[in-house]
Amino acid sequence: MTSRNNGLSGITLPLVSVIIVNYNYGRFLWQAVTSVFEQTYTNIECIIVDNASTDESGSVLAQVEQVFPQATIIRCAENGGQSAASMKGYAASSGQYVVFLDADDFLLPECLATHIFVHLSVRIPVGFTSGDMAQSVGPRLVLGTMSGLSDYVCSGRGRRDNLLRRIDHVCKELWPFEAPDEAIAQDVHYVPPEKATGWVWSATSGNCFRREALQLFLDNRHLPDLRACTDAYLLRGIGMVIGSILIDRPLAVYRLHGQNVFSRSPQLNGIAVHDRGAPSDNDLLARRLVMDHLVDNFAFFAGRLYDPHALLWTLRRLDRIAPKLPPKLPGCKTYLGGKVLESIDSVKALFGCWKSVCLLLALHVSVPTIIGFLCRRRDHVLKEKRSG
């Protein structure tokens, strides 16, 4: 991309933090790192978090330090999992936008420029953009798309008139580079929170997050329990509360190599490419962590949504995704019912007692369970008052 003199003193394009999490992917790590520094968008920082690798990653990182001294390298003493490493990388970052790049994937040259151009041009301030990804086996391309994203695009549900107002058209000074071609307006599709129940996004490396959106969900002390598939937590949480944008262009490459944590092969229509219910299938755990985080911080999220009731609908949509989470408490037919019952004080403070009880009934919590829980809670409060 060729730069133009924008004439705006003190105004720069947003910084993008690319966080690479690596564990024993030394054979792929160099390509991942170089793909960051070969981006046409240059206002970037690269943070590499090595999860106590035991392969050739150490020598690759030493080479990175020599060739790319501007890269920040965090070496973990032990492997705490992908989520914990992502949180460490995020804490060390300062970009207004964040990309989590798996060390076995790599970015195509226009990746960051396209993401940022869309973020600055789209009329809806979404939590993240999700670019399509090509799929390869080793060095050979097999597919040019991710099926969930393409299915949503083909459905037409993401079409919105005037969704994109090109930043280079309305204010050339704010985009001092060559911009994507005119067809980009047709390749941008909105996923509103209420449509985000199915998986419609790319994998980890295909997404570019707003920092403000990540702050809402990375402040979760239980997140390190999700040792892999951090994207299942972030994309569902942010997507179902704030909304997202799909970019119908392959902007990165998802590499299949036989040791992937989740996918076992390139996608085939109608065929699962992961082992359902296996230790590598973290979707249930990710959804539980999202639901727990929203309920545990009920007052916080409800107080920031224009319509506090939207939080309830978000939680119910999460609870209905198949396969469903198993019930949390006896007398509760749904996981959400048990979780809300445990946090009933926060719900009552916002919606009142009667409305909260009606909500529990709608969540298939039995009447004896509600009465018994509320009585035990009352007795506990009275006991604390006497002892105090």
Side-chain angles (χ1 to χ4, degrees), residues 153-189:
V153 169
C154 291
S155 73
R157 287 176 290 168
R159 293 287 184 188
R160 295 289 189 280
D161 292 336
N162 299 316
L163 179 60
L164 205 69
R165 187 188 65 181
R166 297 178 61 109
I167 190 68
D168 60 320
H169 285 185
V170 296
C171 189
K172 294 180 181 180
E173 292 80 4
L174 292 178
W175 187 260
F177 304 111
E178 288 185 12
D181 57 67
E182 293 296 325
I184 188 67
Q186 305 302 315
D187 294 336
V188 173
H189 304 263

PDB file of all heavy atoms in Angstrom, residues 153-189:
ATOM      1  N   VAL A 153     -23.066 -16.203   5.071  1.00  0.00           N
ATOM      2  CA  VAL A 153     -23.038 -15.267   3.941  1.00  0.00           C
ATOM      3  C   VAL A 153     -24.053 -15.688   2.877  1.00  0.00           C
ATOM      4  O   VAL A 153     -24.822 -14.866   2.361  1.00  0.00           O
ATOM      5  CB  VAL A 153     -21.622 -15.188   3.352  1.00  0.00           C
ATOM      6  CG1 VAL A 153     -21.633 -14.439   2.017  1.00  0.00           C
ATOM      7  CG2 VAL A 153     -20.672 -14.497   4.322  1.00  0.00           C
ATOM      8  N   CYS A 154     -24.065 -16.972   2.557  1.00  0.00           N
ATOM      9  CA  CYS A 154     -24.984 -17.461   1.511  1.00  0.00           C
ATOM     10  C   CYS A 154     -26.445 -17.340   1.918  1.00  0.00           C
ATOM     11  O   CYS A 154     -27.327 -17.231   1.062  1.00  0.00           O
ATOM     12  CB  CYS A 154     -24.659 -18.910   1.179  1.00  0.00           C
ATOM     13  SG  CYS A 154     -23.073 -19.145   0.331  1.00  0.00           S
ATOM     14  N   SER A 155     -26.715 -17.340   3.226  1.00  0.00           N
ATOM     15  CA  SER A 155     -28.100 -17.247   3.684  1.00  0.00           C
ATOM     16  C   SER A 155     -28.691 -15.861   3.446  1.00  0.00           C
ATOM     17  O   SER A 155     -29.913 -15.702   3.447  1.00  0.00           O
ATOM     18  CB  SER A 155     -28.177 -17.566   5.181  1.00  0.00           C
ATOM     19  OG  SER A 155     -27.649 -16.490   5.957  1.00  0.00           O
ATOM     20  N   GLY A 156     -27.836 -14.852   3.286  1.00  0.00           N
ATOM     21  CA  GLY A 156     -28.312 -13.491   3.089  1.00  0.00           C
ATOM     22  C   GLY A 156     -28.713 -12.772   4.356  1.00  0.00           C
ATOM     23  O   GLY A 156     -29.127 -11.607   4.309  1.00  0.00           O
ATOM     24  N   ARG A 157     -28.561 -13.434   5.524  1.00  0.00           N
ATOM     25  CA  ARG A 157     -29.019 -12.816   6.775  1.00  0.00           C
ATOM     26  C   ARG A 157     -28.178 -11.606   7.184  1.00  0.00           C
ATOM     27  O   ARG A 157     -28.632 -10.765   7.944  1.00  0.00           O
ATOM     28  CB  ARG A 157     -28.986 -13.855   7.904  1.00  0.00           C
ATOM     29  CG  ARG A 157     -30.076 -14.899   7.811  1.00  0.00           C
ATOM     30  CD  ARG A 157     -29.906 -15.942   8.898  1.00  0.00           C
ATOM     31  NE  ARG A 157     -28.730 -16.781   8.640  1.00  0.00           N
ATOM     32  CZ  ARG A 157     -28.212 -17.610   9.540  1.00  0.00           C
ATOM     33  NH1 ARG A 157     -28.731 -17.690  10.751  1.00  0.00           N
ATOM     34  NH2 ARG A 157     -27.156 -18.352   9.223  1.00  0.00           N
ATOM     35  N   GLY A 158     -26.946 -11.516   6.683  1.00  0.00           N
ATOM     36  CA  GLY A 158     -26.077 -10.435   7.108  1.00  0.00           C
ATOM     37  C   GLY A 158     -26.133  -9.194   6.246  1.00  0.00           C
ATOM     38  O   GLY A 158     -25.398  -8.225   6.490  1.00  0.00           O
ATOM     39  N   ARG A 159     -26.995  -9.180   5.241  1.00  0.00           N
ATOM     40  CA  ARG A 159     -27.072  -8.028   4.348  1.00  0.00           C
ATOM     41  C   ARG A 159     -27.700  -6.826   5.032  1.00  0.00           C
ATOM     42  O   ARG A 159     -28.733  -6.941   5.694  1.00  0.00           O
ATOM     43  CB  ARG A 159     -27.909  -8.385   3.108  1.00  0.00           C
ATOM     44  CG  ARG A 159     -27.262  -9.422   2.201  1.00  0.00           C
ATOM     45  CD  ARG A 159     -26.107  -8.816   1.443  1.00  0.00           C
ATOM     46  NE  ARG A 159     -25.513  -9.755   0.499  1.00  0.00           N
ATOM     47  CZ  ARG A 159     -24.407  -9.531  -0.170  1.00  0.00           C
ATOM     48  NH1 ARG A 159     -23.779  -8.378  -0.002  1.00  0.00           N
ATOM     49  NH2 ARG A 159     -23.926 -10.413  -1.001  1.00  0.00           N
ATOM     50  N   ARG A 160     -27.060  -5.682   4.907  1.00  0.00           N
ATOM     51  CA  ARG A 160     -27.608  -4.426   5.416  1.00  0.00           C
ATOM     52  C   ARG A 160     -27.281  -3.330   4.411  1.00  0.00           C
ATOM     53  O   ARG A 160     -26.139  -3.198   3.976  1.00  0.00           O
ATOM     54  CB  ARG A 160     -26.999  -4.047   6.775  1.00  0.00           C
ATOM     55  CG  ARG A 160     -27.328  -4.995   7.916  1.00  0.00           C
ATOM     56  CD  ARG A 160     -28.789  -4.882   8.333  1.00  0.00           C
ATOM     57  NE  ARG A 160     -29.054  -5.626   9.542  1.00  0.00           N
ATOM     58  CZ  ARG A 160     -29.244  -6.934   9.617  1.00  0.00           C
ATOM     59  NH1 ARG A 160     -29.180  -7.660   8.506  1.00  0.00           N
ATOM     60  NH2 ARG A 160     -29.510  -7.514  10.769  1.00  0.00           N
ATOM     61  N   ASP A 161     -28.276  -2.543   4.055  1.00  0.00           N
ATOM     62  CA  ASP A 161     -28.027  -1.410   3.169  1.00  0.00           C
ATOM     63  C   ASP A 161     -27.158  -0.385   3.873  1.00  0.00           C
ATOM     64  O   ASP A 161     -27.363  -0.078   5.056  1.00  0.00           O
ATOM     65  CB  ASP A 161     -29.354  -0.763   2.747  1.00  0.00           C
ATOM     66  CG  ASP A 161     -30.174  -1.666   1.838  1.00  0.00           C
ATOM     67  OD1 ASP A 161     -29.573  -2.547   1.182  1.00  0.00           O
ATOM     68  OD2 ASP A 161     -31.402  -1.490   1.795  1.00  0.00           O
ATOM     69  N   ASN A 162     -26.200   0.157   3.147  1.00  0.00           N
ATOM     70  CA  ASN A 162     -25.319   1.211   3.663  1.00  0.00           C
ATOM     71  C   ASN A 162     -24.583   0.797   4.940  1.00  0.00           C
ATOM     72  O   ASN A 162     -24.291   1.632   5.800  1.00  0.00           O
ATOM     73  CB  ASN A 162     -26.118   2.489   3.934  1.00  0.00           C
ATOM     74  CG  ASN A 162     -26.757   3.032   2.683  1.00  0.00           C
ATOM     75  OD1 ASN A 162     -26.131   3.092   1.629  1.00  0.00           O
ATOM     76  ND2 ASN A 162     -28.025   3.425   2.788  1.00  0.00           N
ATOM     77  N   LEU A 163     -24.296  -0.495   5.067  1.00  0.00           N
ATOM     78  CA  LEU A 163     -23.570  -0.963   6.242  1.00  0.00           C
ATOM     79  C   LEU A 163     -22.156  -0.395   6.279  1.00  0.00           C
ATOM     80  O   LEU A 163     -21.630  -0.075   7.352  1.00  0.00           O
ATOM     81  CB  LEU A 163     -23.519  -2.497   6.241  1.00  0.00           C
ATOM     82  CG  LEU A 163     -22.775  -3.171   7.381  1.00  0.00           C
ATOM     83  CD1 LEU A 163     -23.393  -2.800   8.725  1.00  0.00           C
ATOM     84  CD2 LEU A 163     -22.781  -4.691   7.200  1.00  0.00           C
ATOM     85  N   LEU A 164     -21.564  -0.231   5.107  1.00  0.00           N
ATOM     86  CA  LEU A 164     -20.184   0.260   5.036  1.00  0.00           C
ATOM     87  C   LEU A 164     -20.176   1.660   4.430  1.00  0.00           C
ATOM     88  O   LEU A 164     -20.688   1.883   3.338  1.00  0.00           O
ATOM     89  CB  LEU A 164     -19.346  -0.688   4.163  1.00  0.00           C
ATOM     90  CG  LEU A 164     -17.842  -0.705   4.428  1.00  0.00           C
ATOM     91  CD1 LEU A 164     -17.567  -1.340   5.786  1.00  0.00           C
ATOM     92  CD2 LEU A 164     -17.120  -1.491   3.347  1.00  0.00           C
ATOM     93  N   ARG A 165     -19.633   2.604   5.160  1.00  0.00           N
ATOM     94  CA  ARG A 165     -19.391   3.945   4.648  1.00  0.00           C
ATOM     95  C   ARG A 165     -17.871   4.112   4.583  1.00  0.00           C
ATOM     96  O   ARG A 165     -17.218   4.337   5.587  1.00  0.00           O
ATOM     97  CB  ARG A 165     -20.005   5.001   5.570  1.00  0.00           C
ATOM     98  CG  ARG A 165     -19.927   6.415   5.004  1.00  0.00           C
ATOM     99  CD  ARG A 165     -20.353   7.434   6.022  1.00  0.00           C
ATOM    100  NE  ARG A 165     -19.424   7.474   7.160  1.00  0.00           N
ATOM    101  CZ  ARG A 165     -19.566   8.273   8.213  1.00  0.00           C
ATOM    102  NH1 ARG A 165     -20.614   9.068   8.298  1.00  0.00           N
ATOM    103  NH2 ARG A 165     -18.688   8.265   9.196  1.00  0.00           N
ATOM    104  N   ARG A 166     -17.327   3.977   3.384  1.00  0.00           N
ATOM    105  CA  ARG A 166     -15.883   3.877   3.206  1.00  0.00           C
ATOM    106  C   ARG A 166     -15.144   5.064   3.792  1.00  0.00           C
ATOM    107  O   ARG A 166     -15.407   6.215   3.415  1.00  0.00           O
ATOM    108  CB  ARG A 166     -15.544   3.719   1.731  1.00  0.00           C
ATOM    109  CG  ARG A 166     -16.079   2.442   1.076  1.00  0.00           C
ATOM    110  CD  ARG A 166     -15.726   2.435  -0.404  1.00  0.00           C
ATOM    111  NE  ARG A 166     -14.278   2.461  -0.581  1.00  0.00           N
ATOM    112  CZ  ARG A 166     -13.557   1.427  -1.015  1.00  0.00           C
ATOM    113  NH1 ARG A 166     -14.143   0.276  -1.305  1.00  0.00           N
ATOM    114  NH2 ARG A 166     -12.246   1.536  -1.155  1.00  0.00           N
ATOM    115  N   ILE A 167     -14.221   4.776   4.703  1.00  0.00           N
ATOM    116  CA  ILE A 167     -13.463   5.847   5.350  1.00  0.00           C
ATOM    117  C   ILE A 167     -12.615   6.614   4.344  1.00  0.00           C
ATOM    118  O   ILE A 167     -12.405   7.822   4.477  1.00  0.00           O
ATOM    119  CB  ILE A 167     -12.587   5.271   6.490  1.00  0.00           C
ATOM    120  CG1 ILE A 167     -11.978   6.387   7.333  1.00  0.00           C
ATOM    121  CG2 ILE A 167     -11.525   4.338   5.958  1.00  0.00           C
ATOM    122  CD1 ILE A 167     -12.969   7.156   8.146  1.00  0.00           C
ATOM    123  N   ASP A 168     -12.168   5.936   3.279  1.00  0.00           N
ATOM    124  CA  ASP A 168     -11.334   6.619   2.283  1.00  0.00           C
ATOM    125  C   ASP A 168     -12.157   7.516   1.376  1.00  0.00           C
ATOM    126  O   ASP A 168     -11.613   8.402   0.720  1.00  0.00           O
ATOM    127  CB  ASP A 168     -10.572   5.596   1.434  1.00  0.00           C
ATOM    128  CG  ASP A 168     -11.506   4.664   0.683  1.00  0.00           C
ATOM    129  OD1 ASP A 168     -12.529   4.243   1.259  1.00  0.00           O
ATOM    130  OD2 ASP A 168     -11.214   4.341  -0.489  1.00  0.00           O
ATOM    131  N   HIS A 169     -13.492   7.337   1.347  1.00  0.00           N
ATOM    132  CA  HIS A 169     -14.350   8.188   0.535  1.00  0.00           C
ATOM    133  C   HIS A 169     -14.795   9.430   1.309  1.00  0.00           C
ATOM    134  O   HIS A 169     -14.829  10.531   0.770  1.00  0.00           O
ATOM    135  CB  HIS A 169     -15.582   7.412   0.070  1.00  0.00           C
ATOM    136  CG  HIS A 169     -15.280   6.436  -1.028  1.00  0.00           C
ATOM    137  ND1 HIS A 169     -16.260   5.707  -1.675  1.00  0.00           N
ATOM    138  CD2 HIS A 169     -14.102   6.062  -1.591  1.00  0.00           C
ATOM    139  CE1 HIS A 169     -15.696   4.930  -2.590  1.00  0.00           C
ATOM    140  NE2 HIS A 169     -14.395   5.125  -2.553  1.00  0.00           N
ATOM    141  N   VAL A 170     -15.153   9.239   2.572  1.00  0.00           N
ATOM    142  CA  VAL A 170     -15.711  10.351   3.331  1.00  0.00           C
ATOM    143  C   VAL A 170     -14.631  11.222   3.955  1.00  0.00           C
ATOM    144  O   VAL A 170     -14.871  12.391   4.250  1.00  0.00           O
ATOM    145  CB  VAL A 170     -16.671   9.843   4.430  1.00  0.00           C
ATOM    146  CG1 VAL A 170     -17.862   9.149   3.806  1.00  0.00           C
ATOM    147  CG2 VAL A 170     -15.963   8.924   5.412  1.00  0.00           C
ATOM    148  N   CYS A 171     -13.455  10.646   4.164  1.00  0.00           N
ATOM    149  CA  CYS A 171     -12.359  11.440   4.723  1.00  0.00           C
ATOM    150  C   CYS A 171     -11.041  10.784   4.332  1.00  0.00           C
ATOM    151  O   CYS A 171     -10.505   9.952   5.074  1.00  0.00           O
ATOM    152  CB  CYS A 171     -12.484  11.553   6.245  1.00  0.00           C
ATOM    153  SG  CYS A 171     -11.305  12.726   6.969  1.00  0.00           S
ATOM    154  N   LYS A 172     -10.537  11.164   3.175  1.00  0.00           N
ATOM    155  CA  LYS A 172      -9.309  10.549   2.666  1.00  0.00           C
ATOM    156  C   LYS A 172      -8.140  10.732   3.623  1.00  0.00           C
ATOM    157  O   LYS A 172      -7.250   9.888   3.712  1.00  0.00           O
ATOM    158  CB  LYS A 172      -8.967  11.143   1.301  1.00  0.00           C
ATOM    159  CG  LYS A 172      -9.967  10.817   0.204  1.00  0.00           C
ATOM    160  CD  LYS A 172      -9.553  11.444  -1.117  1.00  0.00           C
ATOM    161  CE  LYS A 172     -10.574  11.124  -2.200  1.00  0.00           C
ATOM    162  NZ  LYS A 172     -10.188  11.737  -3.502  1.00  0.00           N
ATOM    163  N   GLU A 173      -8.145  11.846   4.352  1.00  0.00           N
ATOM    164  CA  GLU A 173      -7.033  12.126   5.258  1.00  0.00           C
ATOM    165  C   GLU A 173      -6.913  11.097   6.379  1.00  0.00           C
ATOM    166  O   GLU A 173      -5.848  10.926   6.969  1.00  0.00           O
ATOM    167  CB  GLU A 173      -7.184  13.525   5.873  1.00  0.00           C
ATOM    168  CG  GLU A 173      -7.030  14.667   4.877  1.00  0.00           C
ATOM    169  CD  GLU A 173      -8.295  14.908   4.070  1.00  0.00           C
ATOM    170  OE1 GLU A 173      -9.314  14.234   4.356  1.00  0.00           O
ATOM    171  OE2 GLU A 173      -8.267  15.758   3.170  1.00  0.00           O
ATOM    172  N   LEU A 174      -8.028  10.414   6.692  1.00  0.00           N
ATOM    173  CA  LEU A 174      -8.002   9.442   7.779  1.00  0.00           C
ATOM    174  C   LEU A 174      -7.580   8.050   7.319  1.00  0.00           C
ATOM    175  O   LEU A 174      -7.401   7.165   8.151  1.00  0.00           O
ATOM    176  CB  LEU A 174      -9.379   9.368   8.444  1.00  0.00           C
ATOM    177  CG  LEU A 174      -9.798  10.618   9.213  1.00  0.00           C
ATOM    178  CD1 LEU A 174     -11.195  10.443   9.794  1.00  0.00           C
ATOM    179  CD2 LEU A 174      -8.800  10.943  10.314  1.00  0.00           C
ATOM    180  N   TRP A 175      -7.453   7.849   6.018  1.00  0.00           N
ATOM    181  CA  TRP A 175      -6.962   6.555   5.521  1.00  0.00           C
ATOM    182  C   TRP A 175      -5.882   6.828   4.477  1.00  0.00           C
ATOM    183  O   TRP A 175      -6.166   6.947   3.291  1.00  0.00           O
ATOM    184  CB  TRP A 175      -8.083   5.716   4.914  1.00  0.00           C
ATOM    185  CG  TRP A 175      -7.608   4.333   4.565  1.00  0.00           C
ATOM    186  CD1 TRP A 175      -7.254   3.875   3.334  1.00  0.00           C
ATOM    187  CD2 TRP A 175      -7.384   3.244   5.464  1.00  0.00           C
ATOM    188  NE1 TRP A 175      -6.823   2.568   3.412  1.00  0.00           N
ATOM    189  CE2 TRP A 175      -6.895   2.155   4.718  1.00  0.00           C
ATOM    190  CE3 TRP A 175      -7.550   3.088   6.858  1.00  0.00           C
ATOM    191  CZ2 TRP A 175      -6.578   0.926   5.297  1.00  0.00           C
ATOM    192  CZ3 TRP A 175      -7.228   1.861   7.425  1.00  0.00           C
ATOM    193  CH2 TRP A 175      -6.766   0.803   6.650  1.00  0.00           C
ATOM    194  N   PRO A 176      -4.630   6.941   4.901  1.00  0.00           N
ATOM    195  CA  PRO A 176      -3.560   7.402   4.009  1.00  0.00           C
ATOM    196  C   PRO A 176      -2.944   6.291   3.165  1.00  0.00           C
ATOM    197  O   PRO A 176      -1.784   6.357   2.813  1.00  0.00           O
ATOM    198  CB  PRO A 176      -2.543   7.966   5.000  1.00  0.00           C
ATOM    199  CG  PRO A 176      -2.689   7.102   6.196  1.00  0.00           C
ATOM    200  CD  PRO A 176      -4.151   6.767   6.282  1.00  0.00           C
ATOM    201  N   PHE A 177      -3.709   5.245   2.871  1.00  0.00           N
ATOM    202  CA  PHE A 177      -3.189   4.123   2.086  1.00  0.00           C
ATOM    203  C   PHE A 177      -4.142   3.796   0.949  1.00  0.00           C
ATOM    204  O   PHE A 177      -5.281   4.272   0.913  1.00  0.00           O
ATOM    205  CB  PHE A 177      -3.028   2.871   2.958  1.00  0.00           C
ATOM    206  CG  PHE A 177      -2.179   3.053   4.161  1.00  0.00           C
ATOM    207  CD1 PHE A 177      -2.735   3.018   5.427  1.00  0.00           C
ATOM    208  CD2 PHE A 177      -0.811   3.257   4.047  1.00  0.00           C
ATOM    209  CE1 PHE A 177      -1.955   3.169   6.557  1.00  0.00           C
ATOM    210  CE2 PHE A 177      -0.024   3.417   5.171  1.00  0.00           C
ATOM    211  CZ  PHE A 177      -0.598   3.376   6.422  1.00  0.00           C
ATOM    212  N   GLU A 178      -3.675   2.968   0.043  1.00  0.00           N
ATOM    213  CA  GLU A 178      -4.584   2.406  -0.940  1.00  0.00           C
ATOM    214  C   GLU A 178      -5.604   1.546  -0.210  1.00  0.00           C
ATOM    215  O   GLU A 178      -5.257   0.785   0.694  1.00  0.00           O
ATOM    216  CB  GLU A 178      -3.818   1.572  -1.964  1.00  0.00           C
ATOM    217  CG  GLU A 178      -2.975   2.396  -2.925  1.00  0.00           C
ATOM    218  CD  GLU A 178      -2.321   1.544  -3.989  1.00  0.00           C
ATOM    219  OE1 GLU A 178      -2.709   0.363  -4.114  1.00  0.00           O
ATOM    220  OE2 GLU A 178      -1.419   2.045  -4.672  1.00  0.00           O
ATOM    221  N   ALA A 179      -6.839   1.662  -0.572  1.00  0.00           N
ATOM    222  CA  ALA A 179      -7.919   0.973   0.134  1.00  0.00           C
ATOM    223  C   ALA A 179      -8.354  -0.269  -0.628  1.00  0.00           C
ATOM    224  O   ALA A 179      -8.015  -0.448  -1.804  1.00  0.00           O
ATOM    225  CB  ALA A 179      -9.094   1.926   0.309  1.00  0.00           C
ATOM    226  N   PRO A 180      -9.107  -1.157   0.012  1.00  0.00           N
ATOM    227  CA  PRO A 180      -9.658  -2.309  -0.702  1.00  0.00           C
ATOM    228  C   PRO A 180     -10.515  -1.870  -1.880  1.00  0.00           C
ATOM    229  O   PRO A 180     -11.018  -0.740  -1.924  1.00  0.00           O
ATOM    230  CB  PRO A 180     -10.503  -3.007   0.367  1.00  0.00           C
ATOM    231  CG  PRO A 180      -9.898  -2.588   1.666  1.00  0.00           C
ATOM    232  CD  PRO A 180      -9.433  -1.186   1.446  1.00  0.00           C
ATOM    233  N   ASP A 181     -10.709  -2.764  -2.822  1.00  0.00           N
ATOM    234  CA  ASP A 181     -11.494  -2.435  -4.012  1.00  0.00           C
ATOM    235  C   ASP A 181     -12.956  -2.197  -3.647  1.00  0.00           C
ATOM    236  O   ASP A 181     -13.388  -2.451  -2.522  1.00  0.00           O
ATOM    237  CB  ASP A 181     -11.369  -3.554  -5.044  1.00  0.00           C
ATOM    238  CG  ASP A 181     -11.794  -4.905  -4.481  1.00  0.00           C
ATOM    239  OD1 ASP A 181     -12.988  -5.071  -4.187  1.00  0.00           O
ATOM    240  OD2 ASP A 181     -10.914  -5.788  -4.326  1.00  0.00           O
ATOM    241  N   GLU A 182     -13.705  -1.700  -4.619  1.00  0.00           N
ATOM    242  CA  GLU A 182     -15.098  -1.310  -4.369  1.00  0.00           C
ATOM    243  C   GLU A 182     -15.968  -2.485  -3.934  1.00  0.00           C
ATOM    244  O   GLU A 182     -16.984  -2.304  -3.256  1.00  0.00           O
ATOM    245  CB  GLU A 182     -15.689  -0.661  -5.622  1.00  0.00           C
ATOM    246  CG  GLU A 182     -15.059   0.675  -5.975  1.00  0.00           C
ATOM    247  CD  GLU A 182     -15.301   1.733  -4.911  1.00  0.00           C
ATOM    248  OE1 GLU A 182     -16.390   1.721  -4.299  1.00  0.00           O
ATOM    249  OE2 GLU A 182     -14.411   2.567  -4.688  1.00  0.00           O
ATOM    250  N   ALA A 183     -15.589  -3.707  -4.298  1.00  0.00           N
ATOM    251  CA  ALA A 183     -16.410  -4.875  -3.971  1.00  0.00           C
ATOM    252  C   ALA A 183     -16.422  -5.178  -2.477  1.00  0.00           C
ATOM    253  O   ALA A 183     -17.224  -6.004  -2.020  1.00  0.00           O
ATOM    254  CB  ALA A 183     -15.913  -6.092  -4.747  1.00  0.00           C
ATOM    255  N   ILE A 184     -15.574  -4.531  -1.701  1.00  0.00           N
ATOM    256  CA  ILE A 184     -15.523  -4.819  -0.267  1.00  0.00           C
ATOM    257  C   ILE A 184     -16.876  -4.560   0.388  1.00  0.00           C
ATOM    258  O   ILE A 184     -17.263  -5.248   1.351  1.00  0.00           O
ATOM    259  CB  ILE A 184     -14.418  -3.982   0.417  1.00  0.00           C
ATOM    260  CG1 ILE A 184     -14.220  -4.413   1.879  1.00  0.00           C
ATOM    261  CG2 ILE A 184     -14.715  -2.499   0.336  1.00  0.00           C
ATOM    262  CD1 ILE A 184     -13.658  -5.779   2.066  1.00  0.00           C
ATOM    263  N   ALA A 185     -17.636  -3.586  -0.137  1.00  0.00           N
ATOM    264  CA  ALA A 185     -18.945  -3.282   0.452  1.00  0.00           C
ATOM    265  C   ALA A 185     -19.900  -4.467   0.359  1.00  0.00           C
ATOM    266  O   ALA A 185     -20.779  -4.642   1.210  1.00  0.00           O
ATOM    267  CB  ALA A 185     -19.558  -2.062  -0.235  1.00  0.00           C
ATOM    268  N   GLN A 186     -19.723  -5.308  -0.670  1.00  0.00           N
ATOM    269  CA  GLN A 186     -20.567  -6.487  -0.838  1.00  0.00           C
ATOM    270  C   GLN A 186     -20.066  -7.674  -0.025  1.00  0.00           C
ATOM    271  O   GLN A 186     -20.768  -8.685   0.095  1.00  0.00           O
ATOM    272  CB  GLN A 186     -20.639  -6.869  -2.324  1.00  0.00           C
ATOM    273  CG  GLN A 186     -21.104  -5.747  -3.243  1.00  0.00           C
ATOM    274  CD  GLN A 186     -22.464  -5.220  -2.848  1.00  0.00           C
ATOM    275  OE1 GLN A 186     -23.379  -5.986  -2.561  1.00  0.00           O
ATOM    276  NE2 GLN A 186     -22.607  -3.903  -2.812  1.00  0.00           N
ATOM    277  N   ASP A 187     -18.862  -7.550   0.499  1.00  0.00           N
ATOM    278  CA  ASP A 187     -18.246  -8.678   1.207  1.00  0.00           C
ATOM    279  C   ASP A 187     -18.302  -8.529   2.722  1.00  0.00           C
ATOM    280  O   ASP A 187     -17.672  -9.305   3.441  1.00  0.00           O
ATOM    281  CB  ASP A 187     -16.776  -8.814   0.770  1.00  0.00           C
ATOM    282  CG  ASP A 187     -16.641  -9.200  -0.693  1.00  0.00           C
ATOM    283  OD1 ASP A 187     -17.590  -9.786  -1.234  1.00  0.00           O
ATOM    284  OD2 ASP A 187     -15.590  -8.898  -1.283  1.00  0.00           O
ATOM    285  N   VAL A 188     -19.058  -7.538   3.202  1.00  0.00           N
ATOM    286  CA  VAL A 188     -19.166  -7.284   4.633  1.00  0.00           C
ATOM    287  C   VAL A 188     -20.580  -7.626   5.088  1.00  0.00           C
ATOM    288  O   VAL A 188     -21.563  -7.137   4.509  1.00  0.00           O
ATOM    289  CB  VAL A 188     -18.824  -5.813   4.951  1.00  0.00           C
ATOM    290  CG1 VAL A 188     -19.100  -5.493   6.405  1.00  0.00           C
ATOM    291  CG2 VAL A 188     -17.361  -5.538   4.628  1.00  0.00           C
ATOM    292  N   HIS A 189     -20.698  -8.454   6.118  1.00  0.00           N
ATOM    293  CA  HIS A 189     -21.997  -8.966   6.564  1.00  0.00           C
ATOM    294  C   HIS A 189     -22.099  -8.846   8.084  1.00  0.00           C
ATOM    295  O   HIS A 189     -21.177  -9.232   8.814  1.00  0.00           O
ATOM    296  CB  HIS A 189     -22.166 -10.423   6.143  1.00  0.00           C
ATOM    297  CG  HIS A 189     -21.994 -10.640   4.669  1.00  0.00           C
ATOM    298  ND1 HIS A 189     -23.054 -10.715   3.799  1.00  0.00           N
ATOM    299  CD2 HIS A 189     -20.867 -10.766   3.912  1.00  0.00           C
ATOM    300  CE1 HIS A 189     -22.599 -10.889   2.570  1.00  0.00           C
ATOM    301  NE2 HIS A 189     -21.280 -10.922   2.611  1.00  0.00           N
TER     302      HIS A 189
END
